[in-house]
Amino acid sequence: MTMAMRAVPLMGGPVELRGALDLEMTPAGVMPRRLPAWTKEQYQNPSVYGVTLMPSGVRLVFRTDARELEFEVLTSTGQLDTDPQPRPTGMLELLVDGAPAGRRQAPVGNVVRMAGPGAVQRTIPGEPGTVRFAGLPTGMKNVELWLPQQTPTELVALKADGEVLAPLPDGRRRWVHYGSSISHCIEADGPTGTWPVVAAALGGVEVINLSQAGNEVLDPYVARTIRDVPADLISLKVGINIVSLAAFRLRTFAPAVHGFLDTIRDGHPETPLLLMSPVSCPAVEETPGPTAMGPDGKITALGDPADVAGGALSLTVVRAELARIVAARQARDPHLHYLDGRELLGPDEVHDLPDGLHPTAAAYRRMGKRFATHAFANHGPFGCMTGAAE
């Protein structure tokens, strides 16, 4: 006998929304956001708000015996006036008992039009769309519905043709990660293809990804957020946005890193904490920022290499300074560790950076596997984990 589809409450019911630290009520439904609401008054750049609405690592988690699920969402994607189509909305992915069980293109909803980057925006309102996942296995099962990592997504409705229950505690540790676009992973082939999610699956942990494309600059409100959230493991991937925005000089960079670490340690004094430097990026290895996209669509550095002697930051300088900071703190903080980002993507793999900066989808997955090997193996800083990589 076929059961009728029944609405499941998205808030105040059995469904858990993981990976988001704020839920904004909208006319359509609920908008997840990856930083808490109080942080909004502490920045002026609208791009910060925009990237925290992109739900990288955000997923709905529940148990169900349903054979079919319907999920209604309202996405918001961008479009330049010169482009014939809106930007890709990305994928919605379903996992059942940890295994892939379907992926669907997120429907186009609102479209934000603009003449060019930084130009005045105008929104063309759209309508919610529905995706269906049918033919699910019989019996009660654990379900995770992952949202597209690159597209703000309002949750409108969830329907199921069976019972929906809250997830059971599974004992996995919580890993909180902070980084740039290279950890946000807009270019990944889906939400479970971002390198932090790949690594978390291999390491047997739950991930909260606080990475902010273009905005990883050691903002104090991010440090306070990490300080205040429950975390068993913490990692920080620091440097590329700082160089590309010329956000610090050598004089101010080290105190900012120390201050960020000190704030986190106020809430997590003994939590394993891994400080990571950037992956390879040829344009700014020796040349300081700021950076811009050249006519060939690849990143180019606008700084003067001679200015490094006066305190300008290149990636080479940043890596050396991060390693020095960790070494200086380890005597009183034995749970602090350092990883050179080139262990995840090195100089012999820059062909996997189509724009000179962002990895391909395949490279993101490779980075996740390498991180799991470095961090979650028994000898790593996050080792001795159930399900850890060998």
Side-chain angles (χ1 to χ4, degrees):
M1 178 179 177
T2 302
M3 294 186 63
M5 302 296 288
R6 295 179 294 179
V8 180
L10 291 168
M11 297 185 65
V15 176
E16 287 189 15
L17 188 65
R18 298 180 183 173
L21 301 182
D22 182 32
L23 296 176
E24 296 186 8
M25 301 305 298
T26 70
V30 182
M31 175 75 84
R33 185 168 171 271
R34 291 181 297 118
L35 284 179
W38 63 264
T39 64
K40 289 188 288 186
E41 65 184 30
Q42 299 203 9
Y43 53 80
Q44 294 180 327
N45 191 324
S47 71
V48 178
Y49 180 74
V51 297
T52 60
L53 290 180
M54 296 178 182
S56 186
V58 178
R59 63 274 189 198
L60 283 72
V61 183
F62 51 92
R63 291 180 296 143
T64 185
D65 61 1
R67 300 295 308 281
E68 183 173 347
L69 298 171
E70 290 184 357
F71 190 43
E72 188 175 1
V73 297
L74 177 61
T75 61
S76 295
T77 191
Q79 182 179 2
L80 296 179
D81 290 341
T82 55
D83 291 341
Q85 298 292 332
R87 292 172 186 163
T89 51
M91 306 300 293
L92 291 157
E93 293 190 280
L94 189 74
L95 300 186
V96 172
D97 291 331
R103 63 200 323 251
R104 305 286 186 269
Q105 184 74 39
V108 175
N110 301 322
V111 177
V112 180
R113 296 288 299 265
M114 66 196 82
V120 175
Q121 299 180 349
R122 59 193 190 280
T123 299
I124 301 174
E127 297 294 330
T130 300
V131 296
R132 291 179 178 84
F133 296 93
L136 303 184
T138 58
M140 193 61 66
K141 46 201 167 283
N142 301 307
V143 170
E144 299 176 45
L145 183 57
W146 291 74
L147 305 182
Q149 76 276 9
Q150 74 267 51
T151 305
T153 303
E154 297 174 62
L155 315 179
V156 179
L158 174 64
K159 294 181 180 180
D161 67 350
E163 188 176 16
V164 174
L165 303 175
L168 296 174
D170 60 14
R172 287 184 292 175
R173 296 186 184 182
R174 174 183 276 195
W175 167 34
V176 177
H177 177 69
Y178 169 62
S180 67
S181 59
I182 299 169
S183 295
H184 187 143
C185 304
I186 288 174
E187 301 79 13
D189 56 13
T192 64
T194 69
W195 77 256
V197 173
V198 171
L202 292 172
V205 301
E206 284 269 4
V207 65
I208 293 181
N209 189 355
L210 301 182
S211 301
Q212 302 173 47
N215 288 283
E216 163 265 303
V217 289
L218 300 174
D219 289 307
Y221 54 80
V222 178
R224 292 195 294 276
T225 295
I226 298 172
R227 176 197 65 192
D228 295 341
V229 300
D232 300 296
L233 313 162
I234 299 169
S235 58
L236 314 171
K237 195 168 183 301
V238 173
I240 185 62
N241 290 157
I242 287 168
V243 172
S244 62
L245 295 171
F248 292 100
R249 305 282 287 188
L250 184 60
R251 163 65 182 82
T252 55
F253 177 59
V257 174
H258 279 293
F260 203 89
L261 293 172
D262 288 343
T263 297
I264 293 173
R265 282 306 191 211
D266 286 342
H268 301 283
E270 296 183 348
T271 301
L273 197 164
L274 179 60
L275 183 61
M276 306 165 59
S277 65
V279 303
S280 291
C281 180
V284 284
E285 288 293 335
E286 305 294 341
T287 303
T291 62
M293 285 297 174
D296 60 353
K298 293 192 174 184
I299 189 174
T300 183
L302 305 179
D304 183 351
D307 197 25
V308 170
L313 296 179
S314 66
L315 292 192
T316 297
V317 174
V318 163
R319 291 193 191 99
E321 192 66 1
L322 292 176
R324 184 193 68 79
I325 289 169
V326 171
R329 295 177 67 105
Q330 279 180 324
R332 58 185 173 86
D333 188 354
H335 303 288
L336 177 65
H337 309 271
Y338 174 72
L339 177 64
D340 188 321
R342 292 172 296 184
E343 295 290 334
L344 303 186
L345 192 149
D348 59 339
E349 299 171 289
V350 296
H351 57 275
D352 282 327
L353 306 173
D355 62 358
L357 175 63
H358 298 103
T360 62
Y364 277 132
R365 290 185 177 274
R366 190 164 66 245
M367 288 172 60
K369 294 175 182 178
R370 288 176 178 172
F371 182 89
T373 297
H374 281 282
F376 293 115
N378 289 336
H379 62 277
F382 298 166
C384 300
M385 300 286 298
T386 300
E390 293 297 330

